[in-house]
Amino acid sequence: MSSVAAWGAMQRQSGPPRPLNRRRVLAGAVAGLVSGAAAPALGSTGRPVVVASKIDGEGALLGQMIVMSLRRLGVPVTPRLQLGPTRIVRTALAAGEIDAYPEYTGNAAFFSGTDADPGWRRAETALAAARRFDEPNGLTWLTPARANNTWQIAVSGKLARAENLRTMADFAGAVRRGLIDLCASAEFVESPAALPSFERAYDFALPRERIVMLPGGDTAVTLRAAAQGISGVNAGMVYGTDGAIAALDVVVMSDPLGAQIVYEPAPLVRTEVLARHPTMAPTLDRLFSGLDLATLRRLNAQVAVDGDTPEAVARRYLASVAP
């Protein structure tokens, strides 16, 4: 798969109607996103820090946390949250129109056109590769959350408990025993980086007649189908930090062999801005390092399931962890 095709297939972003599906984007001019070196200088130290985010609920939540944290430091901030999909936000950062936004480490694999490199499938090496790529562009990746928002598969709790299914190796065994009926998007089923990658890594082949394939990628639908047995399915595609996971009786299969690229959210910031505001980096490092998988799922559930606003959820969370 070419880097342009992979860009469209794998990035972590969607339009507003589907707040938990962050993978669907407009395939764009990758070359325009790669180069950040030509971005203009930002002027005086009094210029507000422009913080953006992508459209989805998690992006807005993390963006609000960044905005509120900087304001607590006394840093002047201009929010431009839910600015657009990955292509728009990355381009704005490279052009100096915004100064920071929460991005996923795995997306740097597509910015750099190196998505076939196995280093992107381990958290530490993915972060190191992202930093190496963007340093010449004048961009700095700060500490990511310990929460991998990659493609995963969830199995109904009833089946998982009955068959002791916890990992993709267990899932592969259940497929071979004819126990799995999966609900997933066409993209998940057909993209070499998604279900076929799992099949290669764990040596199984899920018969296509045992897949309910949807044209869209709404994981709220696939999760509900898996949990409730809709259309006879007992498994569904998910993203690792989906909030609905906490609200449904499902078990997410772990990926010990690293079949999927790691997508950990981290603040991506113009390096010049960090130099102007030296308290930014340590503050945001502490904030994101405290966000583990269970915490981010819980916070996302407050937005996607309970209907709270990202601003309200961010404010409560920051109050709970304030020293």
Side-chain angles (χ1 to χ4, degrees):
M1 183 166 57
S2 71
S3 61
V4 173
W7 172 263
M10 286 292 293
Q11 288 180 84
R12 192 62 82 244
Q13 178 58 45
S14 73
R18 305 299 187 194
L20 285 178
N21 178 7
R22 291 171 289 280
R23 195 176 297 272
R24 197 184 317 141
V25 293
L26 297 174
V30 176
L33 307 182
V34 168
S35 176
L42 293 178
S44 73
T45 57
R47 179 188 187 277
V49 175
V50 182
V51 176
S53 78
K54 304 181 196 181
I55 294 174
D56 62 283
E58 182 169 284
L61 173 65
L62 296 174
Q64 287 283 4
M65 289 185 187
I66 293 172
V67 168
M68 293 177 189
S69 296
L70 296 187
R71 284 176 171 165
R72 287 182 176 187
L73 292 174
V75 174
V77 179
T78 298
R80 294 186 65 188
L81 302 183
Q82 297 188 289
L83 179 63
T86 300
R87 180 174 60 87
I88 297 298
V89 184
R90 171 78 186 195
T91 300
L93 185 70
E97 297 169 2
I98 65 172
D99 298 318
Y101 77 99
E103 181 54 278
Y104 295 88
T105 53
N107 274 344
F110 302 99
F111 301 154
S112 61
T114 60
D115 47 285
D117 188 327
W120 295 108
R121 288 161 173 79
R122 290 287 181 266
E124 296 79 8
T125 52
L127 176 61
R131 284 173 167 169
R132 283 195 304 272
F133 171 70
D134 266 330
E135 183 179 6
N137 296 327
L139 304 176
T140 297
W141 290 81
L142 298 180
T143 300
R146 295 167 294 154
N148 186 6
N149 192 28
T150 193
W151 256 327
Q152 293 183 291
I153 294 176
V155 174
S156 75
K158 180 179 179 180
L159 178 63
R161 290 186 291 272
E163 298 293 329
N164 195 28
L165 306 181
R166 298 179 181 178
T167 72
M168 282 303 301
D170 301 330
F171 180 87
V175 170
R176 297 185 198 105
R177 298 194 299 276
L179 300 179
I180 298 297
D181 291 277
L182 176 72
C183 182
S185 67
E187 178 186 350
F188 181 83
V189 174
E190 295 169 357
S191 169
L195 178 60
S197 181
F198 280 129
E199 291 176 321
R200 289 190 301 273
Y202 294 95
D203 191 25
F204 72 93
L206 184 59
R208 293 310 183 251
E209 63 268 19
R210 304 203 68 149
I211 301 175
V212 175
M213 194 158 56
L214 308 177
D218 187 351
T219 54
V221 173
T222 59
L223 268 172
R224 191 177 303 112
Q228 300 175 359
I230 298 170
S231 299
V233 307
N234 52 24
M237 73 168 202
V238 299
Y239 300 125
T241 62
D242 275 352
I245 291 171
L248 296 169
D249 183 19
V250 294
V251 177
V252 178
M253 301 291 99
S254 66
D255 177 18
L257 297 182
Q260 295 298 308
I261 287 175
V262 171
Y263 290 91
E264 291 185 331
L268 181 58
V269 188
R270 291 180 53 75
T271 306
E272 188 271 344
V273 173
L274 293 175
R276 285 194 286 120
H277 300 284
T279 56
M280 276 183 64
T283 296
L284 296 181
D285 283 343
R286 285 193 298 271
L287 170 63
F288 275 70
S289 65
L291 292 169
D292 59 15
L293 184 62
T295 300
L296 200 48
R297 282 180 181 172
R298 174 172 55 83
L299 297 177
N300 281 331
Q302 292 172 19
V303 176
V305 179
D306 300 339
D308 284 353
T309 65
E311 181 178 7
V313 174
R315 182 174 292 110
R316 284 199 303 269
Y317 176 74
L318 290 178
S320 74
V321 298

mmCIF file of all heavy atoms in Angstrom, residues 50-93:
data_model
loop_
_atom_site.group_PDB
_atom_site.id
_atom_site.type_symbol
_atom_site.label_atom_id
_atom_site.label_comp_id
_atom_site.label_asym_id
_atom_site.label_seq_id
_atom_site.Cartn_x
_atom_site.Cartn_y
_atom_site.Cartn_z
ATOM 1 N N VAL A 50 -1.558 29.458 20.177
ATOM 2 C CA VAL A 50 -2.778 28.998 19.512
ATOM 3 C C VAL A 50 -2.839 27.473 19.610
ATOM 4 O O VAL A 50 -1.998 26.772 19.048
ATOM 5 C CB VAL A 50 -2.811 29.454 18.034
ATOM 6 C CG1 VAL A 50 -4.120 29.000 17.378
ATOM 7 C CG2 VAL A 50 -2.658 30.965 17.936
ATOM 8 N N VAL A 51 -3.820 26.989 20.347
ATOM 9 C CA VAL A 51 -3.979 25.559 20.582
ATOM 10 C C VAL A 51 -5.177 25.066 19.776
ATOM 11 O O VAL A 51 -6.284 25.591 19.910
ATOM 12 C CB VAL A 51 -4.189 25.250 22.068
ATOM 13 C CG1 VAL A 51 -4.443 23.753 22.287
ATOM 14 C CG2 VAL A 51 -2.988 25.704 22.884
ATOM 15 N N ALA A 52 -4.949 24.060 18.955
ATOM 16 C CA ALA A 52 -6.007 23.486 18.128
ATOM 17 C C ALA A 52 -6.234 22.033 18.518
ATOM 18 O O ALA A 52 -5.548 21.463 19.375
ATOM 19 C CB ALA A 52 -5.644 23.597 16.644
ATOM 20 N N SER A 53 -7.223 21.435 17.883
ATOM 21 C CA SER A 53 -7.445 19.992 17.997
ATOM 22 C C SER A 53 -8.169 19.545 16.746
ATOM 23 O O SER A 53 -8.651 20.360 15.952
ATOM 24 C CB SER A 53 -8.265 19.639 19.237
ATOM 25 O OG SER A 53 -9.644 19.910 19.031
ATOM 26 N N LYS A 54 -8.262 18.237 16.590
ATOM 27 C CA LYS A 54 -9.062 17.677 15.499
ATOM 28 C C LYS A 54 -10.542 17.697 15.888
ATOM 29 O O LYS A 54 -10.910 18.140 16.984
ATOM 30 C CB LYS A 54 -8.583 16.270 15.167
ATOM 31 C CG LYS A 54 -7.091 16.218 14.832
ATOM 32 C CD LYS A 54 -6.664 14.811 14.476
ATOM 33 C CE LYS A 54 -5.158 14.687 14.524
ATOM 34 N NZ LYS A 54 -4.685 13.340 14.151
ATOM 35 N N ILE A 55 -11.380 17.206 14.993
ATOM 36 C CA ILE A 55 -12.824 17.346 15.169
ATOM 37 C C ILE A 55 -13.383 16.416 16.237
ATOM 38 O O ILE A 55 -14.344 16.748 16.925
ATOM 39 C CB ILE A 55 -13.542 17.082 13.822
ATOM 40 C CG1 ILE A 55 -13.181 18.172 12.819
ATOM 41 C CG2 ILE A 55 -15.041 17.019 13.997
ATOM 42 C CD1 ILE A 55 -13.722 17.911 11.415
ATOM 43 N N ASP A 56 -12.785 15.247 16.410
ATOM 44 C CA ASP A 56 -13.399 14.200 17.217
ATOM 45 C C ASP A 56 -13.437 14.545 18.698
ATOM 46 O O ASP A 56 -12.767 15.463 19.172
ATOM 47 C CB ASP A 56 -12.638 12.887 17.024
ATOM 48 C CG ASP A 56 -11.199 12.998 17.481
ATOM 49 O OD1 ASP A 56 -10.385 13.580 16.754
ATOM 50 O OD2 ASP A 56 -10.907 12.518 18.580
ATOM 51 N N GLY A 57 -14.240 13.781 19.447
ATOM 52 C CA GLY A 57 -14.431 14.049 20.863
ATOM 53 C C GLY A 57 -13.167 13.936 21.675
ATOM 54 O O GLY A 57 -12.920 14.759 22.576
ATOM 55 N N GLU A 58 -12.340 12.926 21.413
ATOM 56 C CA GLU A 58 -11.102 12.783 22.164
ATOM 57 C C GLU A 58 -10.148 13.933 21.879
ATOM 58 O O GLU A 58 -9.491 14.453 22.794
ATOM 59 C CB GLU A 58 -10.432 11.454 21.843
ATOM 60 C CG GLU A 58 -9.151 11.217 22.627
ATOM 61 C CD GLU A 58 -8.634 9.796 22.491
ATOM 62 O OE1 GLU A 58 -9.229 8.906 23.137
ATOM 63 O OE2 GLU A 58 -7.667 9.573 21.724
ATOM 64 N N GLY A 59 -10.061 14.345 20.620
ATOM 65 C CA GLY A 59 -9.220 15.485 20.283
ATOM 66 C C GLY A 59 -9.650 16.737 21.014
ATOM 67 O O GLY A 59 -8.822 17.493 21.542
ATOM 68 N N ALA A 60 -10.969 16.985 21.060
ATOM 69 C CA ALA A 60 -11.480 18.158 21.765
ATOM 70 C C ALA A 60 -11.198 18.073 23.255
ATOM 71 O O ALA A 60 -10.837 19.067 23.898
ATOM 72 C CB ALA A 60 -12.976 18.304 21.519
ATOM 73 N N LEU A 61 -11.348 16.875 23.828
ATOM 74 C CA LEU A 61 -11.081 16.682 25.253
ATOM 75 C C LEU A 61 -9.625 16.982 25.591
ATOM 76 O O LEU A 61 -9.323 17.742 26.520
ATOM 77 C CB LEU A 61 -11.429 15.246 25.636
ATOM 78 C CG LEU A 61 -11.062 14.783 27.040
ATOM 79 C CD1 LEU A 61 -11.844 15.556 28.084
ATOM 80 C CD2 LEU A 61 -11.310 13.284 27.184
ATOM 81 N N LEU A 62 -8.712 16.404 24.828
ATOM 82 C CA LEU A 62 -7.284 16.630 25.088
ATOM 83 C C LEU A 62 -6.897 18.072 24.795
ATOM 84 O O LEU A 62 -6.060 18.655 25.498
ATOM 85 C CB LEU A 62 -6.446 15.660 24.261
ATOM 86 C CG LEU A 62 -6.633 14.175 24.603
ATOM 87 C CD1 LEU A 62 -5.860 13.298 23.621
ATOM 88 C CD2 LEU A 62 -6.211 13.886 26.037
ATOM 89 N N GLY A 63 -7.486 18.651 23.759
ATOM 90 C CA GLY A 63 -7.222 20.058 23.459
ATOM 91 C C GLY A 63 -7.651 20.969 24.598
ATOM 92 O O GLY A 63 -6.942 21.925 24.952
ATOM 93 N N GLN A 64 -8.816 20.678 25.175
ATOM 94 C CA GLN A 64 -9.278 21.474 26.324
ATOM 95 C C GLN A 64 -8.313 21.347 27.492
ATOM 96 O O GLN A 64 -8.025 22.327 28.192
ATOM 97 C CB GLN A 64 -10.677 21.010 26.756
ATOM 98 C CG GLN A 64 -11.800 21.406 25.826
ATOM 99 C CD GLN A 64 -12.199 22.867 25.962
ATOM 100 O OE1 GLN A 64 -11.589 23.647 26.712
ATOM 101 N NE2 GLN A 64 -13.223 23.256 25.236
ATOM 102 N N MET A 65 -7.792 20.136 27.724
ATOM 103 C CA MET A 65 -6.837 19.959 28.814
ATOM 104 C C MET A 65 -5.588 20.804 28.596
ATOM 105 O O MET A 65 -5.052 21.403 29.543
ATOM 106 C CB MET A 65 -6.453 18.488 28.936
ATOM 107 C CG MET A 65 -7.540 17.591 29.470
ATOM 108 S SD MET A 65 -6.889 15.913 29.704
ATOM 109 C CE MET A 65 -8.394 15.038 30.136
ATOM 110 N N ILE A 66 -5.113 20.855 27.353
ATOM 111 C CA ILE A 66 -3.932 21.660 27.051
ATOM 112 C C ILE A 66 -4.230 23.137 27.286
ATOM 113 O O ILE A 66 -3.453 23.860 27.928
ATOM 114 C CB ILE A 66 -3.460 21.413 25.611
ATOM 115 C CG1 ILE A 66 -2.947 19.978 25.457
ATOM 116 C CG2 ILE A 66 -2.371 22.405 25.218
ATOM 117 C CD1 ILE A 66 -2.636 19.576 24.025
ATOM 118 N N VAL A 67 -5.362 23.613 26.770
ATOM 119 C CA VAL A 67 -5.741 25.021 26.931
ATOM 120 C C VAL A 67 -5.817 25.393 28.405
ATOM 121 O O VAL A 67 -5.252 26.408 28.857
ATOM 122 C CB VAL A 67 -7.089 25.297 26.234
ATOM 123 C CG1 VAL A 67 -7.637 26.670 26.635
ATOM 124 C CG2 VAL A 67 -6.925 25.228 24.716
ATOM 125 N N MET A 68 -6.530 24.587 29.194
ATOM 126 C CA MET A 68 -6.713 24.903 30.612
ATOM 127 C C MET A 68 -5.402 24.851 31.377
ATOM 128 O O MET A 68 -5.149 25.679 32.265
ATOM 129 C CB MET A 68 -7.733 23.946 31.225
ATOM 130 C CG MET A 68 -9.136 24.118 30.692
ATOM 131 S SD MET A 68 -10.280 22.884 31.395
ATOM 132 C CE MET A 68 -11.745 23.184 30.379
ATOM 133 N N SER A 69 -4.546 23.884 31.043
ATOM 134 C CA SER A 69 -3.258 23.766 31.729
ATOM 135 C C SER A 69 -2.377 24.982 31.459
ATOM 136 O O SER A 69 -1.705 25.499 32.369
ATOM 137 C CB SER A 69 -2.549 22.482 31.292
ATOM 138 O OG SER A 69 -3.275 21.340 31.683
ATOM 139 N N LEU A 70 -2.370 25.448 30.214
ATOM 140 C CA LEU A 70 -1.544 26.611 29.887
ATOM 141 C C LEU A 70 -2.081 27.875 30.557
ATOM 142 O O LEU A 70 -1.307 28.720 31.025
ATOM 143 C CB LEU A 70 -1.480 26.801 28.367
ATOM 144 C CG LEU A 70 -0.806 25.677 27.580
ATOM 145 C CD1 LEU A 70 -0.658 26.066 26.116
ATOM 146 C CD2 LEU A 70 0.548 25.307 28.171
ATOM 147 N N ARG A 71 -3.389 28.007 30.611
ATOM 148 C CA ARG A 71 -3.961 29.181 31.275
ATOM 149 C C ARG A 71 -3.622 29.183 32.762
ATOM 150 O O ARG A 71 -3.400 30.248 33.351
ATOM 151 C CB ARG A 71 -5.470 29.218 31.053
ATOM 152 C CG ARG A 71 -5.827 29.679 29.641
ATOM 153 C CD ARG A 71 -7.314 29.634 29.380
ATOM 154 N NE ARG A 71 -7.631 30.280 28.098
ATOM 155 C CZ ARG A 71 -8.798 30.154 27.463
ATOM 156 N NH1 ARG A 71 -9.764 29.408 27.992
ATOM 157 N NH2 ARG A 71 -8.996 30.768 26.319
ATOM 158 N N ARG A 72 -3.586 28.013 33.383
ATOM 159 C CA ARG A 72 -3.183 27.940 34.788
ATOM 160 C C ARG A 72 -1.758 28.423 34.988
ATOM 161 O O ARG A 72 -1.406 28.924 36.057
ATOM 162 C CB ARG A 72 -3.310 26.500 35.297
ATOM 163 C CG ARG A 72 -4.745 26.038 35.506
ATOM 164 C CD ARG A 72 -4.769 24.622 36.068
ATOM 165 N NE ARG A 72 -6.110 24.187 36.375
ATOM 166 C CZ ARG A 72 -6.401 23.048 37.003
ATOM 167 N NH1 ARG A 72 -5.410 22.241 37.379
ATOM 168 N NH2 ARG A 72 -7.645 22.724 37.252
ATOM 169 N N LEU A 73 -0.925 28.244 33.968
ATOM 170 C CA LEU A 73 0.466 28.709 34.038
ATOM 171 C C LEU A 73 0.584 30.203 33.774
ATOM 172 O O LEU A 73 1.669 30.777 33.919
ATOM 173 C CB LEU A 73 1.321 27.965 33.006
ATOM 174 C CG LEU A 73 1.553 26.478 33.228
ATOM 175 C CD1 LEU A 73 2.286 25.884 32.030
ATOM 176 C CD2 LEU A 73 2.322 26.232 34.516
ATOM 177 N N GLY A 74 -0.502 30.831 33.358
ATOM 178 C CA GLY A 74 -0.450 32.230 32.981
ATOM 179 C C GLY A 74 -0.021 32.461 31.545
ATOM 180 O O GLY A 74 0.271 33.601 31.155
ATOM 181 N N VAL A 75 0.020 31.406 30.752
ATOM 182 C CA VAL A 75 0.384 31.537 29.337
ATOM 183 C C VAL A 75 -0.849 32.004 28.560
ATOM 184 O O VAL A 75 -1.918 31.397 28.660
ATOM 185 C CB VAL A 75 0.877 30.185 28.778
ATOM 186 C CG1 VAL A 75 1.125 30.282 27.272
ATOM 187 C CG2 VAL A 75 2.128 29.728 29.501
ATOM 188 N N PRO A 76 -0.751 33.075 27.782
ATOM 189 C CA PRO A 76 -1.900 33.507 26.977
ATOM 190 C C PRO A 76 -2.218 32.482 25.895
ATOM 191 O O PRO A 76 -1.308 32.007 25.207
ATOM 192 C CB PRO A 76 -1.447 34.839 26.376
ATOM 193 C CG PRO A 76 0.046 34.775 26.409
ATOM 194 C CD PRO A 76 0.422 33.945 27.599
ATOM 195 N N VAL A 77 -3.491 32.135 25.763
ATOM 196 C CA VAL A 77 -3.905 31.059 24.863
ATOM 197 C C VAL A 77 -5.056 31.530 23.996
ATOM 198 O O VAL A 77 -5.987 32.190 24.472
ATOM 199 C CB VAL A 77 -4.345 29.805 25.655
ATOM 200 C CG1 VAL A 77 -4.791 28.701 24.701
ATOM 201 C CG2 VAL A 77 -3.238 29.305 26.553
ATOM 202 N N THR A 78 -4.998 31.157 22.720
ATOM 203 C CA THR A 78 -6.133 31.305 21.806
ATOM 204 C C THR A 78 -6.563 29.908 21.384
ATOM 205 O O THR A 78 -5.822 29.220 20.679
ATOM 206 C CB THR A 78 -5.764 32.127 20.565
ATOM 207 O OG1 THR A 78 -5.380 33.446 20.963
ATOM 208 C CG2 THR A 78 -6.947 32.210 19.597
ATOM 209 N N PRO A 79 -7.747 29.433 21.800
ATOM 210 C CA PRO A 79 -8.190 28.097 21.401
ATOM 211 C C PRO A 79 -8.758 28.093 19.979
ATOM 212 O O PRO A 79 -9.495 29.003 19.593
ATOM 213 C CB PRO A 79 -9.301 27.762 22.409
ATOM 214 C CG PRO A 79 -9.283 28.868 23.428
ATOM 215 C CD PRO A 79 -8.662 30.043 22.771
ATOM 216 N N ARG A 80 -8.401 27.072 19.236
ATOM 217 C CA ARG A 80 -9.028 26.809 17.932
ATOM 218 C C ARG A 80 -9.354 25.321 17.867
ATOM 219 O O ARG A 80 -8.943 24.598 16.971
ATOM 220 C CB ARG A 80 -8.098 27.227 16.785
ATOM 221 C CG ARG A 80 -7.852 28.724 16.705
ATOM 222 C CD ARG A 80 -7.046 29.092 15.479
ATOM 223 N NE ARG A 80 -7.755 28.804 14.252
ATOM 224 C CZ ARG A 80 -7.213 28.899 13.032
ATOM 225 N NH1 ARG A 80 -5.936 29.245 12.908
ATOM 226 N NH2 ARG A 80 -7.916 28.620 11.952
ATOM 227 N N LEU A 81 -10.126 24.876 18.850
ATOM 228 C CA LEU A 81 -10.392 23.458 19.002
ATOM 229 C C LEU A 81 -11.377 22.964 17.946
ATOM 230 O O LEU A 81 -12.188 23.719 17.418
ATOM 231 C CB LEU A 81 -10.930 23.183 20.403
ATOM 232 C CG LEU A 81 -9.997 23.623 21.550
ATOM 233 C CD1 LEU A 81 -10.590 23.252 22.892
ATOM 234 C CD2 LEU A 81 -8.604 23.036 21.388
ATOM 235 N N GLN A 82 -11.271 21.666 17.657
ATOM 236 C CA GLN A 82 -12.074 21.003 16.622
ATOM 237 C C GLN A 82 -11.954 21.738 15.276
ATOM 238 O O GLN A 82 -12.913 21.980 14.574
ATOM 239 C CB GLN A 82 -13.524 20.861 17.076
ATOM 240 C CG GLN A 82 -13.634 19.958 18.315
ATOM 241 C CD GLN A 82 -15.045 19.615 18.718
ATOM 242 O OE1 GLN A 82 -15.750 20.490 19.215
ATOM 243 N NE2 GLN A 82 -15.438 18.365 18.524
ATOM 244 N N LEU A 83 -10.704 22.050 14.949
ATOM 245 C CA LEU A 83 -10.390 22.835 13.751
ATOM 246 C C LEU A 83 -10.679 22.079 12.465
ATOM 247 O O LEU A 83 -11.118 22.669 11.477
ATOM 248 C CB LEU A 83 -8.913 23.247 13.799
ATOM 249 C CG LEU A 83 -8.362 24.055 12.627
ATOM 250 C CD1 LEU A 83 -9.068 25.404 12.531
ATOM 251 C CD2 LEU A 83 -6.848 24.261 12.793
ATOM 252 N N GLY A 84 -10.418 20.774 12.451
ATOM 253 C CA GLY A 84 -10.619 20.011 11.227
ATOM 254 C C GLY A 84 -9.975 18.651 11.327
ATOM 255 O O GLY A 84 -9.486 18.250 12.388
ATOM 256 N N PRO A 85 -9.924 17.910 10.223
ATOM 257 C CA PRO A 85 -9.280 16.596 10.214
ATOM 258 C C PRO A 85 -7.760 16.730 10.256
ATOM 259 O O PRO A 85 -7.206 17.833 10.212
ATOM 260 C CB PRO A 85 -9.753 15.982 8.898
ATOM 261 C CG PRO A 85 -10.008 17.152 8.018
ATOM 262 C CD PRO A 85 -10.520 18.248 8.922
ATOM 263 N N THR A 86 -7.088 15.598 10.313
ATOM 264 C CA THR A 86 -5.631 15.577 10.439
ATOM 265 C C THR A 86 -4.954 16.452 9.392
ATOM 266 O O THR A 86 -4.040 17.223 9.700
ATOM 267 C CB THR A 86 -5.112 14.130 10.312
ATOM 268 O OG1 THR A 86 -5.690 13.342 11.346
ATOM 269 C CG2 THR A 86 -3.595 14.075 10.427
ATOM 270 N N ARG A 87 -5.359 16.330 8.156
ATOM 271 C CA ARG A 87 -4.717 17.068 7.064
ATOM 272 C C ARG A 87 -4.734 18.569 7.328
ATOM 273 O O ARG A 87 -3.727 19.268 7.146
ATOM 274 C CB ARG A 87 -5.426 16.758 5.745
ATOM 275 C CG ARG A 87 -4.844 17.460 4.530
ATOM 276 C CD ARG A 87 -5.516 16.988 3.250
ATOM 277 N NE ARG A 87 -6.948 17.252 3.255
ATOM 278 C CZ ARG A 87 -7.499 18.393 2.850
ATOM 279 N NH1 ARG A 87 -6.738 19.381 2.426
ATOM 280 N NH2 ARG A 87 -8.807 18.552 2.857
ATOM 281 N N ILE A 88 -5.879 19.085 7.772
ATOM 282 C CA ILE A 88 -6.022 20.518 8.009
ATOM 283 C C ILE A 88 -5.177 20.970 9.199
ATOM 284 O O ILE A 88 -4.462 21.981 9.140
ATOM 285 C CB ILE A 88 -7.505 20.868 8.248
ATOM 286 C CG1 ILE A 88 -8.345 20.545 6.997
ATOM 287 C CG2 ILE A 88 -7.660 22.328 8.657
ATOM 288 C CD1 ILE A 88 -7.964 21.330 5.770
ATOM 289 N N VAL A 89 -5.243 20.210 10.295
ATOM 290 C CA VAL A 89 -4.566 20.644 11.519
ATOM 291 C C VAL A 89 -3.057 20.553 11.364
ATOM 292 O O VAL A 89 -2.314 21.463 11.756
ATOM 293 C CB VAL A 89 -5.074 19.821 12.723
ATOM 294 C CG1 VAL A 89 -4.439 20.332 14.012
ATOM 295 C CG2 VAL A 89 -6.585 19.909 12.833
ATOM 296 N N ARG A 90 -2.580 19.470 10.770
ATOM 297 C CA ARG A 90 -1.131 19.329 10.567
ATOM 298 C C ARG A 90 -0.604 20.435 9.647
ATOM 299 O O ARG A 90 0.460 21.007 9.893
ATOM 300 C CB ARG A 90 -0.838 17.954 9.971
ATOM 301 C CG ARG A 90 0.600 17.746 9.496
ATOM 302 C CD ARG A 90 1.563 17.464 10.621
ATOM 303 N NE ARG A 90 2.940 17.406 10.125
ATOM 304 C CZ ARG A 90 3.975 16.912 10.800
ATOM 305 N NH1 ARG A 90 3.796 16.419 12.009
ATOM 306 N NH2 ARG A 90 5.178 16.907 10.287
ATOM 307 N N THR A 91 -1.329 20.743 8.588
ATOM 308 C CA THR A 91 -0.912 21.797 7.676
ATOM 309 C C THR A 91 -0.857 23.148 8.388
ATOM 310 O O THR A 91 0.073 23.933 8.186
ATOM 311 C CB THR A 91 -1.856 21.876 6.469
ATOM 312 O OG1 THR A 91 -1.847 20.629 5.777
ATOM 313 C CG2 THR A 91 -1.444 22.984 5.516
ATOM 314 N N ALA A 92 -1.855 23.420 9.236
ATOM 315 C CA ALA A 92 -1.867 24.680 9.986
ATOM 316 C C ALA A 92 -0.674 24.774 10.929
ATOM 317 O O ALA A 92 -0.071 25.839 11.086
ATOM 318 C CB ALA A 92 -3.173 24.810 10.760
ATOM 319 N N LEU A 93 -0.311 23.659 11.558
ATOM 320 C CA LEU A 93 0.854 23.652 12.443
ATOM 321 C C LEU A 93 2.132 23.907 11.658
ATOM 322 O O LEU A 93 2.979 24.711 12.048
ATOM 323 C CB LEU A 93 0.938 22.317 13.181
ATOM 324 C CG LEU A 93 2.041 22.212 14.238
ATOM 325 C CD1 LEU A 93 1.717 23.090 15.442
ATOM 326 C CD2 LEU A 93 2.246 20.762 14.675
#
